[in-house]
Amino acid sequence: MRKLQKSLLWFCLTCKRLLKKPGFLILLCSIPVLVLSMGLVAKEESGMLHIVLYQENEKDLLSSQLVEDLLSENSVLQYQQVFDEEEAYELVENGNADAAWIFPDKMQERLEEYIAGAYDRPFIRILEREDNVALQLSREKLYGALYSYFPYTVYEKYVQNELGGDTLSGEELRTYYESARVEGDLFQLTLLNGEVKENNPAEGNYLTAPVRGLLALVIMLCGLSAVMYYLQDEAAGVFDRVALKNRQKYLYGYELAAMLCAGIAVFVALALSGDFEGWLKETGLMILYLVMSVGFCSVVKKLCGNLQRLGTCIPLLMIGMLILCPVFFAVRRFRMLQYLLPPFYYLNAVHNHTIVPWMCLYCLVILAVDFALDKAMNMHKS
């Protein structure tokens, strides 16, 4: 019992010592700053693409309704309506907009002619400085928005020409059409863990989506920084009176103290940001991630060997994890490298419970590898 009390006292003093280091404090402060800044940016008007909307005739009913629908919906595309064609051209030409969609006058007539096959050329002009994948996808969005007006036009013509409904007024036709409208979603999003997600685009924001991944990397960076502090203390003779075989537990203590402080800050940040999957699930995943990261950082320390090489490797490791782990996007290649990185498991396990057993297996394997490397290095030194 006394030994446990001394260990806990040493761990608390180690945490206190780390909190007095300016570099470590900057890392911890980056966690709330990151979450708050991403949250503030997400509240601003933003989008993956900036699309300008212009009507040749502002009183045209169909183009007005289409513009209103685009402006009112939640989307990763940012729309802006302008009332001057030259302004639309200038915004695209100057790079202030990615594209301009120009809707013609008498759009309903042109749409009807297009459906009847009597209109042999496009009637919506799109102005772009360049063509890329994102802009091609944005045009698919325009097709989808315009297509919502196709069914009623086809229905109206069919009723009038084929069913003899030419005596019905447009208001009556619209009433009959709306009465048969089907409410609800056609699609249901289900995650691998069985959780059913609501099809609500307003739930999240593409700018805040990478927050969890970035915070996971901050925890890893804190662990690697703790390894550097340990190597500095070792070089300064702090552990000279400790046998080589007993130093491993102190290394683990340094790493765990640093990552536990960061983990608590991340836990609170996720809870406040809204990207939270429940206390039990988040706690379990965080504990597994910390154990994985402790073993990973310890193995990296042994492979690097000294402070200089570790300092050189840390930026490369962080960039590698940023690219290979699903922080901003999922990489389908280099699976063998991804399986070596703890953030890869942690980020995937949030929405896939089948990853959790693999996290447990990773903990056992990485700690076994670290134990073997420690034994081999101690035998070589002695």
Side-chain angles (χ1 to χ4, degrees), residues 153-209:
T153 303
V154 174
Y155 159 81
E156 183 181 32
K157 294 301 179 185
Y158 181 80
V159 171
Q160 291 175 348
N161 299 332
E162 302 294 333
L163 302 181
D166 52 342
T167 58
L168 295 174
S169 66
E171 183 178 345
E172 288 175 313
L173 279 175
R174 174 63 71 175
T175 301
Y176 290 133
Y177 179 80
E178 293 294 335
S179 66
R181 183 182 293 274
V182 177
E183 300 294 337
D185 295 318
L186 290 174
F187 309 102
Q188 177 177 292
L189 176 60
T190 304
L191 303 176
L192 288 175
N193 60 7
E195 179 185 356
V196 177
K197 300 288 286 186
E198 294 293 332
N199 295 325
N200 182 9
E203 276 187 350
N205 186 288
Y206 77 100
L207 291 173
T208 59

Side-chain angles (χ1 to χ4, degrees), residues 96-354:
N96 295 322
D98 298 287
W101 295 348
I102 301 175
F103 303 108
D105 188 16
K106 300 179 180 179
M107 193 168 172
Q108 183 66 45
E109 296 179 15
R110 300 194 183 194
L111 180 60
E112 292 174 0
E113 292 176 0
Y114 179 82
I115 293 173
Y119 203 90
D120 58 355
R121 64 182 185 274
F123 56 87
I124 297 179
R125 286 184 292 150
I126 297 178
L127 178 65
E128 299 173 350
R129 287 183 296 112
E130 59 180 0
D131 192 23
N132 53 44
V133 174
L135 288 171
Q136 291 173 16
L137 293 175
S138 73
R139 294 198 290 271
E140 295 293 335
K141 175 64 177 177
L142 176 59
Y143 299 150
L146 186 60
Y147 183 79
S148 63
Y149 296 93
F150 273 58
Y152 177 74
T153 303
V154 174
Y155 159 81
E156 183 181 32
K157 294 301 179 185
Y158 181 80
V159 171
Q160 291 175 348
N161 299 332
E162 302 294 333
L163 302 181
D166 52 342
T167 58
L168 295 174
S169 66
E171 183 178 345
E172 288 175 313
L173 279 175
R174 174 63 71 175
T175 301
Y176 290 133
Y177 179 80
E178 293 294 335
S179 66
R181 183 182 293 274
V182 177
E183 300 294 337
D185 295 318
L186 290 174
F187 309 102
Q188 177 177 292
L189 176 60
T190 304
L191 303 176
L192 288 175
N193 60 7
E195 179 185 356
V196 177
K197 300 288 286 186
E198 294 293 332
N199 295 325
N200 182 9
E203 276 187 350
N205 186 288
Y206 77 100
L207 291 173
T208 59
V211 168
R212 181 184 291 271
L214 293 174
L215 294 178
L217 295 187
V218 171
I219 293 176
M220 181 64 70
L221 184 58
C222 287
L224 293 171
S225 300
V227 174
M228 296 188 71
Y229 295 143
Y230 173 86
L231 289 173
Q232 289 175 349
D233 287 346
E234 191 176 47
V238 174
F239 300 106
D240 285 352
R241 298 180 63 181
V242 179
L244 290 175
K245 63 179 181 179
N246 295 330
R247 293 184 184 181
Q248 184 66 23
K249 60 183 179 182
Y250 291 98
L251 174 61
Y252 285 161
Y254 271 61
E255 294 171 357
L256 188 58
M259 286 190 282
L260 185 60
C261 294
I264 293 173
V266 167
F267 198 90
V268 175
L270 289 174
L272 296 177
S273 69
D275 184 16
F276 201 68
E277 299 294 327
W279 292 96
L280 183 62
K281 181 177 180 179
E282 292 285 358
T283 302
L285 289 178
M286 182 60 70
I287 291 173
L288 285 174
Y289 180 59
L290 292 180
V291 176
M292 295 169 70
S293 300
V294 164
F296 178 83
C297 293
S298 185
V299 169
V300 169
K301 177 257 181 187
K302 292 176 176 61
L303 294 178
C304 290
N306 58 47
L307 186 63
Q308 290 72 25
R309 283 196 288 268
L310 179 61
T312 303
C313 288
I314 286 178
L316 300 177
L317 280 172
M318 298 308 299
I319 293 173
M321 285 186 280
L322 185 66
I323 296 173
L324 295 175
C325 298
V327 178
F328 292 99
F329 47 83
V331 178
R332 304 302 178 190
R333 298 183 179 181
F334 310 108
R335 282 298 191 194
M336 294 307 299
L337 289 177
Q338 291 175 328
Y339 292 151
L340 300 176
L341 306 175
F344 174 78
Y345 296 89
Y346 171 70
L347 297 177
N348 280 295
V350 173
H351 299 299
N352 185 0
H353 67 278
T354 61

